[in-house]
């Protein structure tokens, strides 16, 4: 129940509207010249409390950086690699622009200024949209915490993203790239084409994950690489007993690959629980080190005329399967995709797909009755 407190002073009598906040504390709705005005103001605030729409204006005085570091980030239950990425986004893109500003002073116009500046600095439209989603999630939490009454990221004008047509590595280009790699790394790259693994799944492989009799491979572990500063263990690498999609998957592999792996295990004395593709020191191979020292020089030497990433071998695996007639659902399960739409994007990505479509059209039209 709202009420009015009367205050007598040197300038006369003033009336203060009072009400209780969601925690039961007495709050002021402001001071007025009449009791009626004070009661109306108190009733309005009380209705906000009852409707769950009330917020404490004083909470908005916290700076963006303090809110993120003391409230938002500690309560994000995410993987260590995701947390490391969040911290990188904040340090590089958001703390310099928003860090010192009070939350209740960050307006939609200020968010729009950030977008405009990011675009002028050369940040790609797709990246701006990704970072804007991240920024919005901070303000969504602030609204839920009743620190803010609205999300300043709502209705931001974002730059248009023009999707570029994906280029898929062809079998011929793959053979050239494979030949350009040092001998000791070829089987590892062949494994990416054979199984369509993510990098963390590849470097986590062990002989115990392979069933040579049933000719199957089980993907049930992944190795995450983060900076020591952001690692939960203080180490650069740590293993997770589940892949990115949180479910192990088992699928078939070809005999030729199994024979090559068996020879690799025997020649290098690899134990049942040892890493299949470790460094000489026995540790996991760093993705970035492999990319800069091994992969990029091989791509250049191969003569492949587009910037192939290691991850593109996973894309090629899915595209080749679909182009060869594999059904979507089986490829989806093999890849560990959670949605069929993710797998569908690999349809018709090989450069000769359109010609094969035209050839099929010609065959139908020229078929004799």
């Amino acid at each position: 129940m709202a009420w009015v407190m009367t205050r007598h002073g040197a300038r006369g009598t003033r009336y203060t509207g009072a009400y209780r906040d969601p925690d039961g504390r007495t709050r002021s709705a402001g001071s007025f010249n009449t009791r009626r005005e004070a009661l109306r103001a108190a009733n309005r605030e009380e209705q906000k409390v009852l409707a769950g729409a009330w917020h404490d204006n004083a909470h908005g005085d916290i700076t963006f950086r303090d809110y993120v570091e003391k409230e938002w980030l500690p309560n994000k239950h995410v993987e260590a690699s995701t947390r490391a990425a969040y911290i990188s986004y904040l340090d590089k893109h958001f703390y310099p622009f928003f860090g010192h500003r009070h939350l209740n002073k960050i307006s939609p116009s200020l968010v729009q200024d950030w977008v405009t500046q990011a675009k002028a600095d050369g940040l790609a439209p797709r990246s701006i949209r990704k970072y804007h989603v991240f920024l919005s999630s901070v303000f969504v939490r602030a609204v839920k915490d009743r620190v803010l009454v609205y999300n300043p990221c709502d209705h931001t004008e974002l730059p248009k993203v023009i999707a570029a047509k994906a280029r898929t590595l062809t079998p011929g280009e793959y053979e050239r790239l494979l030949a350009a790699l040092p001998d000791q790394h070829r089987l590892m790259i062949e494994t990416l084409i054979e199984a369509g693994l993510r990098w963390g799944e590849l470097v986590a492989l062990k002989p115990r994950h392979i069933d040579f009799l049933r000719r199957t491979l089980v993907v049930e572990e992944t190795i995450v690489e983060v900076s020591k500063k952001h690692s939960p263990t203080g180490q650069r690498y740590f293993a997770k007993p589940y892949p990115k999609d949180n479910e192990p998957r088992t699928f078939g592999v070809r005999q030729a690959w199994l024979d090559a792996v068996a020879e690799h295990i025997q020649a290098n004395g690899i134990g049942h629980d040892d890493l299949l593709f470790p460094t000489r020191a026995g540790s996991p191979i760093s993705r970035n080190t492999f990319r800069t020292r091994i992969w990029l020089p091989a791509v250049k030497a191969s003569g492949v005329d587009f910037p192939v990433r290691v991850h593109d071998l996973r894309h090629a695996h899915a595209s080749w399967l679909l182009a060869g007639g594999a059904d979507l659902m089986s490829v989806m399960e093999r890849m560990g995709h959670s949605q069929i739409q993710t797998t569908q994007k690999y349809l018709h990505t090989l450069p000769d797909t359109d010609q094969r479509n035209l050839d099929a059209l010609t065959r139908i039209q020229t078929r004799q009755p």
Side-chain angles (χ1 to χ4, degrees), residues 303-331:
V304 175
D305 62 353
F306 72 103
V308 189
R309 304 168 302 167
V310 175
H311 192 70
D312 288 333
L313 296 177
R314 174 172 163 84
H315 296 175
H317 175 81
S319 298
W320 295 4
L321 286 173
L322 293 170
D327 66 274
L328 270 172
M329 284 302 299
S330 64
V331 176

Side-chain angles (χ1 to χ4, degrees), residues 69-136:
E69 293 183 345
K70 295 177 182 178
E71 300 293 337
W72 185 79
L73 196 56
N75 291 303
K76 295 296 289 183
H77 303 292
V78 294
E79 301 285 358
S81 54
T82 303
R83 183 178 296 274
Y86 285 177
I87 294 173
S88 176
Y89 300 164
L90 290 162
D91 288 342
K92 186 174 182 180
H93 298 286
F94 298 121
Y95 285 158
F97 197 92
F98 297 105
H100 65 287
R101 300 179 188 272
H102 291 250
L103 281 185
N104 56 10
K105 301 298 183 184
I106 297 177
S107 64
S109 295
L110 190 63
V111 173
Q112 191 67 61
D113 289 344
W114 174 82
V115 170
T116 302
Q117 180 176 311
K119 188 173 185 299
D121 290 342
L123 195 62
R126 191 179 300 276
S127 296
I128 292 174
R129 285 179 175 266
K130 179 181 75 171
Y131 295 137
H132 182 266
V133 169
F134 172 85
L135 180 64
S136 181

Side-chain angles (χ1 to χ4, degrees), residues 12-166:
T13 302
R14 297 279 288 172
Y15 300 93
T16 300
Y19 66 98
R20 296 194 184 279
D21 68 16
D23 295 324
R25 291 173 295 188
T26 298
R27 295 280 184 169
S28 169
S31 296
F32 303 87
N33 292 326
T34 68
R35 178 181 293 275
R36 186 177 182 180
E37 288 177 306
L39 187 58
R40 281 181 177 175
N43 280 328
R44 284 195 298 269
E45 294 302 314
E46 186 175 62
Q47 288 304 310
K48 292 179 183 178
V49 172
L50 295 175
W54 182 89
H55 81 287
D56 188 350
N57 289 323
H59 286 173
D61 284 337
I62 189 173
T63 66
F64 176 86
R65 183 169 193 145
D66 283 345
Y67 178 76
V68 167
E69 293 183 345
K70 295 177 182 178
E71 300 293 337
W72 185 79
L73 196 56
N75 291 303
K76 295 296 289 183
H77 303 292
V78 294
E79 301 285 358
S81 54
T82 303
R83 183 178 296 274
Y86 285 177
I87 294 173
S88 176
Y89 300 164
L90 290 162
D91 288 342
K92 186 174 182 180
H93 298 286
F94 298 121
Y95 285 158
F97 197 92
F98 297 105
H100 65 287
R101 300 179 188 272
H102 291 250
L103 281 185
N104 56 10
K105 301 298 183 184
I106 297 177
S107 64
S109 295
L110 190 63
V111 173
Q112 191 67 61
D113 289 344
W114 174 82
V115 170
T116 302
Q117 180 176 311
K119 188 173 185 299
D121 290 342
L123 195 62
R126 191 179 300 276
S127 296
I128 292 174
R129 285 179 175 266
K130 179 181 75 171
Y131 295 137
H132 182 266
V133 169
F134 172 85
L135 180 64
S136 181
S137 70
V138 174
F139 294 124
V140 166
R141 182 74 260 171
V143 172
K144 290 180 179 179
D145 287 342
R146 296 177 182 169
V147 174
L148 297 177
V149 294
Y150 68 93
N151 183 343
C153 282
D154 289 346
H155 312 299
T156 307
E157 293 287 340
L158 297 172
K160 183 178 181 179
V161 175
I162 300 175
K165 185 173 177 58

Side-chain angles (χ1 to χ4, degrees), residues 267-342:
N268 292 279
I270 299 173
H272 188 64
D273 290 311
D274 294 338
L275 295 177
L276 195 59
F277 303 114
T279 64
R280 292 178 180 175
S283 60
I285 296 176
S286 165
R287 180 175 188 163
N288 192 55
T289 300
F290 180 82
R291 174 183 174 272
T292 55
R293 297 184 182 179
I294 307 298
W295 183 255
L296 292 180
V299 172
K300 184 177 180 180
S302 72
V304 175
D305 62 353
F306 72 103
V308 189
R309 304 168 302 167
V310 175
H311 192 70
D312 288 333
L313 296 177
R314 174 172 163 84
H315 296 175
H317 175 81
S319 298
W320 295 4
L321 286 173
L322 293 170
D327 66 274
L328 270 172
M329 284 302 299
S330 64
V331 176
M332 173 185 172
E333 292 172 1
R334 187 180 183 93
M335 297 291 287
H337 293 154
S338 58
Q339 296 181 330
I340 194 71
Q341 292 87 346
T342 306

